[in-house]
């Protein structure tokens, strides 16, 4: 049994004052939903502000990115130990990091191994672009992202890793994948690649989320798919009622 997980990726939105306001609104309704792991991933400036608000609330906190080195001359970056001060989770390899900040599968691999070493729960993003989707290369692209991104990770601890399948063409476009299409990619590409990198048991134990234009209205379509264990939510995670509705839809008490 894989516990469902719903994570909100706030991306570059909300000052600390705005973040505090959203968390104050969402705290009781979100924290009260059983049978699903809930995680908020605000900008890093808000992590120390939000962390104390979540004490005892059954809501996890995650960073949107981190560096793989433990310390040093890496201007603008956060080390795993710095993330760990406030967070239990970290998003790795988001398509926006790959597209705008030059992140490669090799970087993803270094970050993933550093997150595992730091005791964080990594949420590793994979997904094909529109061009790759239209030219029928989804399987090849996503499988490569997994094989390179997950290389040399200990299979004994693999079940801690969370994967987010986020087709780039569905992110922020309002054009979500169908539940059936996403389920097919998770079953035929993602779990297959995971079982090659690790083993079948590990592949079946790892949670795979869907991300890309998930809303309170379409969430149930994804969560009714057998291979989809939750969602990584962007835009809709900035609205308290939407995010609560998504978490409710994912709940398996
Ligand atoms: P949207 O939900 O805004 O499409 O963003 C998805 C995403 O990128 C989450 O990481």
């Amino acid at each position: 049994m894989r516990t469902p997980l719903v994570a909100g990726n706030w991306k570059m939105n909300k000052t600390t004052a705005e973040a505090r306001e959203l968390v104050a609104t969402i705290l009781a309704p979100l924290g009260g939903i059983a049978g699903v792991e809930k995680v908020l991933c605000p900008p890093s400036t808000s992590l120390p502000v939000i962390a104390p608000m979540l004490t005892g609330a059954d809501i996890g906190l995650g960073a949107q990115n981190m560096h793989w080195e433990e310390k040093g001359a890496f201007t603008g970056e956060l080390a795993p130990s710095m993330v760990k001060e406030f967070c239990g989770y970290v998003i790795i390899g988001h398509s926006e990091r790959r597209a705008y900040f030059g992140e490669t599968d090799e970087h993803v691999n270094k970050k993933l191994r550093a997150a595992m070493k730091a005791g964080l729960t990594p949420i590793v993003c994979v997904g094909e672009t529109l061009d790759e989707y239209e030219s029928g290369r989804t399987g090849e692209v996503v499988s490569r992202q997994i094989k390179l991104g997950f290389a040399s990770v200990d299979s004994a601890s693999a079940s801690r890793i969370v994967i987010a399948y986020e087709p780039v063409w569905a992110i922020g476009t309002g054009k979500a994948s169908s539940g059936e299409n996403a389920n097919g990619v998770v079953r035929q590409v993602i779990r297959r690649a995971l079982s090659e990198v690790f083993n079948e048991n590990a592949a079946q134990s790892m949670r795979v989320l869907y991300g890309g234009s998930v809303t309170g209205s379409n969430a149930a379509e994804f969560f009714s798919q057998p291979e989809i264990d939750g969602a990584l939510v962007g835009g809709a995670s900035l609205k308290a009622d939407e995010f609560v509705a998504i978490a409710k839809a994912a709940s398996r008490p």
Side-chain angles (χ1 to χ4, degrees), residues 6-8 26 30 39-40 233 236-237 239-247:
V6 168
I26 211 168
L30 186 67
V39 181
L40 304 178
V233 185
S237 72
K239 298 178 195 138
D241 51 348
E242 281 283 312
F243 193 59
V244 167
I246 294 167

Side-chain angles (χ1 to χ4, degrees), residues 186-206:
V186 177
R187 188 180 66 241
Q188 290 157 26
V189 180
I190 297 183
R191 292 210 196 274
R192 196 169 287 178
L194 289 172
S195 79
E196 283 179 37
V197 175
F198 301 115
N199 54 61
E200 185 58 22
N201 269 353
Q204 291 302 328
S205 71
M206 295 166 76

Side-chain angles (χ1 to χ4, degrees), residues 9 11 94 96 125 166 170-173 211-214 232-236:
N9 175 9
K11 308 192 179 184
H94 191 279
E96 287 147 19
C125 303
E166 300 205 307
I171 296 178
T173 58
S213 299
V214 175
L232 181 56
V233 185

